[in-house]
């Protein structure tokens, strides 16, 4: 049995986990976009979308750079394991933030604030 390939059950588990992660990303994008469209004033929606895309896609080259540096210094396999272990740790940011206590997303901006004068609570 090849160490990189593993058995058929390992391959199926990897494919299933990859499918679950992909489905979660799609669900997150739908929920985030729907919330932004409902909560943000129409005149600011373009700016919000552009800023969101800039931040998320702008982080990709930084991640590639970090992966390349770790792969060069530690080796490819240890770098992959280290970064794979770091993915669930990203959830700890949410546990330590005020988002943890919120159950529902806000439906509308705070009363009395409209247009460009209001900010997220």
């Amino acid at each position: 049995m090849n160490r990189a390939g593993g058995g058929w059950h390992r391959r199926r588990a990897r494919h299933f986990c990859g499918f679950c992660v992909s489905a979660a990303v799609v669900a997150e994008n739908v929920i985030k976009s729907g919330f932004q469209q409902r909560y943000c004033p129409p005149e600011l929606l373009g700016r919000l979308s552009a800023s969101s895309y800039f931040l998320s896609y702008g982080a990709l080259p930084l991640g590639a750079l970090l992966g390349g540096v770790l792969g060069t210094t530690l080796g490819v396999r240890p770098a992959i394991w280290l970064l794979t272990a770091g993915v669930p740790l990203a959830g700890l940011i949410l546990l330590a933030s005020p988002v943890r206590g919120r159950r529902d997303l806000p439906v509308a901006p705070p009363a009395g604030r409209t247009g460009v004068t209001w900010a997220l609570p």
Side-chain angles (χ1 to χ4, degrees):
M1 176 164 60
N2 185 343
R3 184 174 178 194
W8 63 269
H9 58 285
R10 287 185 182 173
R11 285 192 300 274
R12 285 191 179 173
R14 280 194 303 265
H15 290 202
F16 178 72
C17 291
F19 172 78
C20 289
V21 168
S22 298
V25 167
V26 169
E28 186 273 335
N29 282 335
V30 169
I31 292 169
K32 179 183 70 94
S33 296
F35 172 71
Q36 287 177 345
Q37 290 174 1
R38 173 127 173 116
Y39 196 75
C40 183
E43 62 271 10
L44 293 178
L45 192 55
R47 291 180 186 176
L48 176 69
S49 297
S51 300
S52 178
Y53 284 126
F54 176 77
L55 290 174
S56 48
Y57 290 122
L60 291 176
L62 298 176
L65 182 63
L66 175 65
V69 168
L70 287 175
T72 302
T73 57
L74 301 176
V76 174
R77 244 180 230 275
I80 289 174
W81 279 111
L82 179 68
L83 295 174
T84 301
V87 169
L89 296 177
L92 292 177
I93 294 171
L94 293 176
L95 289 176
S97 73
V99 174
R100 180 181 183 200
R102 299 198 70 150
R103 182 172 180 265
D104 298 321
L105 294 173
V107 177
R113 296 183 164 200
T114 58
V116 295
T117 59
W118 62 273
L120 289 174

